[in-house]
Amino acid sequence: MLFSLAIGLILVRLVEPFPLVTIIIMGGLLYGIFYKAAHGTNLLTTVLLLMSVLTYPSLAMLDIQLSMETALGVCLAYSLAMLSSAIMYLLIPPNTLINNQSSEAQPAAHSNANRVALLTTVIVLPLLVFFLMFDHQAAMLTLIYVGILAPNVSLTKGLRSCIGILLANAMGGVLAIVIYELLVLVPMSSFYLLLMFLVAISFAKKVFTSPQGALYASAFSCLLLLITDLTNTTGINMDLAFYERWLYIALANLYVILSFMFFTALGWLRTNA
């Protein structure tokens, strides 16, 4: 966590005075992160590193202070999440260990890891360059989501897995619309907390008990990103804000998944089925 924070803060200071140099450094860092991810690095570690490369420098183009506050906020949220998880395990210890091997990334061979890392970098880097060039604040959500979706090991398992992730994230997007419309009907914080608690419990059960747990986890990530981003949005038309973000998430899904499908169909990406 501290390492990812350090990388993010260094890039934040470099991106405005030396944008071209920063993009080259970002490309190298993205390749290294995706290479480690292909070798089975913990997904949470991968996402934290990707946020340090993608999110903090991009925010710095808009507001350096906001970027640094976001980085510190992520570290605080990470620490609180780890603390609350530890407390829950102490209060409610699991009766049996959860065997989640089927959804874990299996380390790839050196040559295939290089190929996966290079192609994933080629997919993600253009979006990063686009954001830095045009300072498109609304597209920040797309950049964050691409960072979460791109390391998904299922994307390297062939066309069928790519379609499965696309459908799962579509389910997350549809559920986000349902939750948003319910919140419009009942705009109360207590109702929001209860609703999200029930949704989280339902998804958690599916993630840890279903053979398709990875797909449910992807759908839940999509839903959470949309809803939590919306609840932090003020001063604009909420309907417009939500559906605009929904559209960006949909485009991010299509872009990443169709790119992996394209490379797989060309034979440039060897599947890890």
Side-chain angles (χ1 to χ4, degrees):
M1 180 180 67
L2 294 178
F3 178 67
S4 66
L5 177 62
I7 291 176
L9 293 178
I10 291 171
L11 291 175
V12 162
R13 291 300 181 182
L14 286 176
V15 67
E16 192 168 0
F18 309 107
L20 183 59
V21 173
T22 306
I23 288 173
I24 295 173
I25 294 173
M26 285 176 172
L29 289 171
L30 285 175
Y31 174 82
I33 293 168
F34 291 132
Y35 180 80
K36 288 293 185 181
H39 274 294
T41 299
N42 180 271
L43 181 59
L44 181 58
T45 301
T46 301
V47 171
L48 285 172
L49 288 170
L50 283 172
M51 286 196 68
S52 70
V53 175
L54 296 174
T55 309
Y56 309 149
S58 302
L59 276 175
M61 295 295 290
L62 303 171
D63 188 335
I64 290 182
Q65 186 64 32
L66 175 62
S67 177
M68 298 183 72
E69 289 176 358
T70 301
L72 294 174
V74 168
C75 288
L76 177 61
Y78 175 85
S79 301
L80 291 175
M82 293 298 101
L83 178 61
S84 61
S85 297
I87 292 173
M88 290 306 296
Y89 269 100
L90 289 173
L91 294 176
I92 313 174
N95 295 326
T96 57
L97 293 176
I98 297 171
N99 184 3
N100 218 20
Q101 291 181 350
S102 61
S103 62
E104 289 181 355
Q106 299 299 320
H110 175 72
S111 60
N112 198 38
N114 275 325
R115 185 186 296 267
V116 171
L118 179 60
L119 293 179
T120 309
T121 303
V122 168
I123 291 170
V124 174
L125 193 58
L127 283 181
L128 178 60
V129 173
F130 171 81
F131 185 89
L132 293 176
M133 287 179 62
F134 295 101
D135 293 344
H136 196 0
Q137 187 173 6
M140 173 60 73
L141 191 64
T142 306
L143 200 58
I144 295 172
Y145 190 74
V146 167
I148 294 173
L149 182 61
N152 194 319
V153 66
S154 297
L155 290 171
T156 64
K157 290 184 176 179
L159 300 178
R160 186 175 178 181
S161 293
C162 289
I163 294 172
I165 293 177
L166 185 61
L167 294 176
N169 291 336
M171 178 182 71
V174 171
L175 284 175
I177 292 175
V178 173
I179 291 172
Y180 170 72
E181 295 299 339
L182 287 173
L183 292 175
V184 171
L185 292 174
V186 189
M188 297 171 57
S189 58
S190 56
F191 175 76
Y192 169 69
L193 291 173
L194 178 61
L195 180 62
M196 292 306 297
F197 175 77
L198 294 175
V199 170
I201 289 293
S202 301
F203 268 101
K205 182 178 179 181
K206 290 292 186 181
V207 168
F208 290 106
T209 60
S210 172
Q212 288 80 35
L215 296 181
Y216 283 105
S218 183
F220 189 45
S221 298
C222 178
L223 186 154
L224 277 182
L225 198 60
L226 280 166
I227 295 299
T228 54
D229 180 75
L230 183 71
T231 54
N232 289 320
T233 300
T234 57
I236 59 175
N237 186 299
M238 297 298 282
D239 285 335
L240 176 62
F242 174 78
Y243 287 105
E244 181 184 46
R245 283 156 175 75
W246 192 94
L247 177 61
Y248 279 124
I249 287 289
L251 291 175
N253 269 291
L254 286 174
Y255 173 73
V256 174
I257 294 172
L258 290 179
S259 296
F260 272 96
M261 292 173 67
F262 175 72
F263 288 136
T264 302
L266 289 179
W268 295 357
L269 185 63
R270 301 189 185 94
T271 60
N272 298 327

